Amino acid sequence: MVCTGHYTVPFIPPIPGLDTFQGHLLHSHSYRYPEPFANQSVVLVGAGPSGVDLALQLSSVAAQVVLSHKRQHVCGLSKDVIQMPPLLKVGQKTVVFTDGSKMPADVLILCTGYKYSFPFLDLAQLGLQETDYGMGPLYQHLLPPQHPSLFLIGVCQQICPFPHFYCQVLFALAVLSGRCSLPSVADMEAEVQRQLGLYLKNGGLARYFLKLKEQQWSYMEDLAHLAGFPPVPPAVQQIYEDTHASRLCNVSTYRSRNYRLLGPSAWELVQDWGENCIKTGDAK
C-alpha cells in the first residue's frame, strides 16, 4: 500500500511574469508562521484551504493582505483582507488582475495546490501513465489493473479524509485476502474509461476527475458493497455536510463547532464555551 499522500511537490501555475518578480515568492508549502510577513503587502494566490487559512493568519500582522481567486466571495475573513479576481500577470513589484486593476506586492504566496509525485514507482512498468488528472488507469481510484496487489491509498481529492482512507484500506485487505474478487485486467481498464467518459459527458473537466466532492459517499458505498464490509454510518456524511455549510457561512468560526455522535444516523451539535457543553442543535 502506497500511503505517501500528494501534498509534497508544489504546483506552480504558469503566470506570466512570475520569474521577474523581485519580492519574496514562495508556495504555501513553505509557509510556517505569520510573523516574518509583518508590515508587508502580501498577495495570496488561490482560495482553497491553504489560501483561506493564510489570509486568516496574516491579516493581523501584514500591512495588506490580498486574496486572489476565482471562487465565490469568501465569508468570514477580516474586513482588512481584500478579495480580488485571479492574477493576469506579475511585474517586478506589482501584480495585475484579470479585471485590469494593479496592486503593489512585497510577498507573493502561491496557494495553488500540489502535483502527484511517486518517484519510487516505475509507472510504465505498472501499466500507468501521466494523465490530465494525475495518472491512470486506477481501478476504483486505487489500483493499477495490471498490478492488482498494489494499492495507492488517498489519491482522491476534496473528500472527508479518514473515513475515505478507512474504506480504501478495507477494500484492499478484502482483495488481498481473497474475499473480494477483481474483474479481469481488460474489464478493470474498461471500467475506468467508462467512469471517466461518464464524468466528461456530464460536464466535468478531465483535470478534476479525482476531485470526488459529493460523489465521495457513493464511492465509499461501492467499496463497501464490493468488499462486504459495513458502509460508513450516515451520521458521518451529515456531520461533514453540516461542517461544510458552516465553513461557507464563516471561515473564521466553523472550527469551533463540536459534534456528539448519538448513533449511526443520529448526532447533535454542541458548543464548548469553557465550562459547559451547550447543545445548539437537535439530533438528525
Side-chain angles (χ1 to χ4, degrees), residues 94-113:
T94 60
V95 293
V96 180
F97 303 96
T98 53
D99 64 355
S101 58
K102 180 187 295 186
M103 284 188 173
D106 300 313
V107 181
L108 188 57
I109 305 180
L110 304 176
C111 308
T112 48

Side-chain angles (χ1 to χ4, degrees), residues 129-140:
Q129 60 183 354
E130 297 288 339
T131 68
D132 290 337
Y133 54 86
M135 64 178 180
L138 289 175
Y139 179 67
Q140 296 294 342

Side-chain angles (χ1 to χ4, degrees), residues 6-56:
H6 47 82
Y7 299 104
T8 300
V9 180
F11 169 69
I12 308 299
I15 302 173
L18 197 62
D19 57 343
T20 68
F21 184 64
Q22 294 184 358
H24 185 188
L25 174 65
L26 69 153
H27 190 274
S28 57
H29 184 69
S30 302
Y31 172 91
R32 293 297 179 268
Y33 308 102
E35 287 76 16
F37 306 97
N39 302 318
Q40 299 186 68
S41 175
V42 180
V43 176
L44 303 167
V45 181
S50 296
V52 171
D53 284 351
L54 266 63
L56 289 169

Side-chain angles (χ1 to χ4, degrees), residues 10-11 52 78 89 135 144 155 160 240 260:
F11 169 69
V52 171
S78 166
K89 59 183 178 180
M135 64 178 180
V155 299
C160 187
Y240 177 88
R260 179 183 293 121

Side-chain angles (χ1 to χ4, degrees), residues 133 189-204 206 209:
Y133 54 86
E189 291 178 340
E191 176 61 16
V192 176
Q193 291 304 314
R194 186 194 70 81
Q195 291 182 0
L196 177 59
L198 182 62
Y199 172 80
L200 296 175
K201 183 179 179 180
N202 290 332
F209 182 50

Side-chain angles (χ1 to χ4, degrees), residues 11-281:
F11 169 69
I12 308 299
I15 302 173
L18 197 62
D19 57 343
T20 68
F21 184 64
Q22 294 184 358
H24 185 188
L25 174 65
L26 69 153
H27 190 274
S28 57
H29 184 69
S30 302
Y31 172 91
R32 293 297 179 268
Y33 308 102
E35 287 76 16
F37 306 97
N39 302 318
Q40 299 186 68
S41 175
V42 180
V43 176
L44 303 167
V45 181
S50 296
V52 171
D53 284 351
L54 266 63
L56 289 169
Q57 293 186 25
L58 291 168
S59 61
S60 63
V61 300
Q64 176 176 279
V65 176
V66 177
L67 183 63
S68 169
H69 63 97
K70 61 182 178 181
R71 302 189 178 195
Q72 294 182 343
H73 183 82
V74 180
C75 299
L77 292 175
S78 166
K79 59 181 177 59
D80 297 325
V81 175
I82 304 171
Q83 298 190 48
M84 297 295 293
L87 286 188
L88 177 64
K89 59 183 178 180
V90 176
Q92 293 182 351
K93 293 287 287 186
T94 60
V95 293
V96 180
F97 303 96
T98 53
D99 64 355
S101 58
K102 180 187 295 186
M103 284 188 173
D106 300 313
V107 181
L108 188 57
I109 305 180
L110 304 176
C111 308
T112 48
Y114 297 84
K115 299 186 295 184
Y116 289 97
S117 178
F118 300 97
F120 47 86
L121 296 179
D122 186 331
L123 299 187
Q125 187 179 32
L126 295 172
L128 299 173
Q129 60 183 354
E130 297 288 339
T131 68
D132 290 337
Y133 54 86
M135 64 178 180
L138 289 175
Y139 179 67
Q140 296 294 342
H141 301 316
L142 263 174
L143 60 101
Q146 295 184 26
H147 287 267
S149 63
L150 173 67
F151 298 87
L152 283 79
I153 307 298
V155 299
C156 297
Q157 301 178 34
Q158 296 191 5
I159 52 165
C160 187
F162 292 103
H164 180 93
F165 303 154
Y166 178 72
C167 289
Q168 288 190 324
V169 169
L170 289 184
F171 179 85
L173 293 175
V175 170
L176 294 174
S177 67
R179 290 182 287 107
C180 177
S181 298
L182 295 174
S184 67
V185 172
D187 286 347
M188 286 192 284
E189 291 178 340
E191 176 61 16
V192 176
Q193 291 304 314
R194 186 194 70 81
Q195 291 182 0
L196 177 59
L198 182 62
Y199 172 80
L200 296 175
K201 183 179 179 180
N202 290 332
L205 298 177
R207 66 179 181 270
Y208 297 145
F209 182 50
L210 293 177
K211 293 186 177 183
L212 298 190
K213 299 182 180 180
E214 63 273 5
Q215 299 300 320
Q216 63 177 304
W217 309 106
S218 60
Y219 169 75
M220 288 189 285
E221 287 182 1
D222 289 344
L223 293 184
H225 174 73
L226 291 169
F229 59 83
V232 172
V236 174
Q237 178 179 351
Q238 294 166 5
I239 292 174
Y240 177 88
E241 291 175 346
D242 188 77
T243 304
H244 179 69
S246 175
R247 186 180 187 276
L248 290 177
C249 291
N250 194 323
V251 295
S252 67
T253 60
Y254 79 100
R255 287 189 175 95
S256 66
R257 296 164 74 89
N258 296 292
Y259 299 87
R260 179 183 293 121
L261 278 172
L262 303 176
S265 301
W267 55 276
E268 64 181 5
L269 175 65
V270 294
Q271 181 69 56
D272 184 5
W273 291 110
E275 296 181 357
N276 300 310
C277 208
I278 302 172
K279 178 178 176 182
T280 58

